[in-house]
């Protein structure tokens, strides 16, 4: 049986894959172990991009607009930083939403709770039907910010 941390990581990757797929990306999971967790083809440009998936953590003790900060860890388990030569984007998973953050080689990426949707690109797991109408009126497929 997988340990709790492994289960959380797998769940976060599945949420990220679902959100990317819902946004029109062609999504692939590498067979061999790689620096990145997911590769996906961007729907508008057709370019393949690499993604590292992490769960966002909340820091209420730091104040900030909206009463705290969300933190996305930019390092491997070894402490080595993911750089732009390793991956294109970090994906921070928060419940059923994902935030795409361009990888710039930082140890951590921070966004205040009140400004996260304006700072990072948000993808959700909601689907759109073929006619462009929301399949679920309460969910948005993608909010580019």
């Amino acid at each position: 049986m997988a340990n709790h941390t492994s289960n959380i990581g797998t769940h976060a990757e599945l949420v990220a894959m679902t959100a990317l797929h819902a946004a029109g990306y062609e999504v692939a999971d590498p067979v061999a172990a790689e620096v990145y967790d997911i590769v996906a083809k961007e729907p508008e440009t057709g370019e393949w991009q690499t993604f590292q998936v992490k769960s966002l953590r909340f820091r209420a003790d730091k104040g900030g607009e909206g009463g705290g900060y969300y933190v996305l860890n930019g390092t491997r388990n070894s402490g080595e930083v993911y750089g732009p030569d390793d991956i294109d984007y970090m994906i921070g998973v928060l419940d059923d939403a994902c935030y795409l953050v361009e990888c710039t080689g930082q140890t951590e990426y921070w966004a205040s709770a009140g400004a996260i949707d304006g700072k990072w690109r948000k993808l959700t797991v909601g689907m759109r039907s073929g006619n462009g109408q929301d399949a679920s009126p309460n969910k948005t497929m993608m909010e580019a910010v």
Side-chain angles (χ1 to χ4, degrees), residues 6 22 33 50 71 73 75 82 86 98 135 138:
S6 177
T50 55
V71 182
N73 186 14
T75 62
Y82 292 104
D86 300 320
C98 296
N138 297 324

Side-chain angles (χ1 to χ4, degrees), residues 35-145:
V35 171
Y36 49 84
D37 293 320
I38 301 169
V39 291
K41 186 190 281 187
E42 210 280 334
E44 292 181 20
T45 66
E47 289 183 34
W48 285 95
Q49 300 168 333
T50 55
F51 301 86
Q52 176 57 244
V53 180
K54 301 283 187 178
S55 297
L56 286 177
R57 76 178 190 273
F58 184 70
R59 295 283 309 262
D61 62 320
K62 295 295 180 184
E65 180 184 332
Y69 284 90
Y70 287 102
V71 182
L72 177 58
N73 186 14
T75 62
R76 299 173 173 91
N77 290 339
S78 66
E80 188 179 351
V81 174
Y82 292 104
D85 291 337
D86 300 320
I87 56 171
D88 297 310
Y89 290 94
M90 303 291 299
I91 296 180
V93 177
L94 180 64
D95 299 325
D96 65 350
C98 296
Y99 291 91
L100 272 62
V101 181
E102 187 174 354
C103 179
T104 58
Q106 297 176 206
T107 56
E108 294 180 326
Y109 300 83
W110 288 60
S112 67
I116 189 170
D117 290 343
K119 183 171 184 177
W120 296 339
R121 182 177 175 197
K122 182 180 181 181
L123 303 178
T124 63
V125 297
M127 296 286 295
R128 287 197 187 253
S129 64
N131 63 10
Q133 299 297 314
D134 284 344
S136 168
N138 297 324
K139 296 214 176 198
T140 352
M141 179 183 82
M142 179 174 83
E143 300 169 15
V145 239

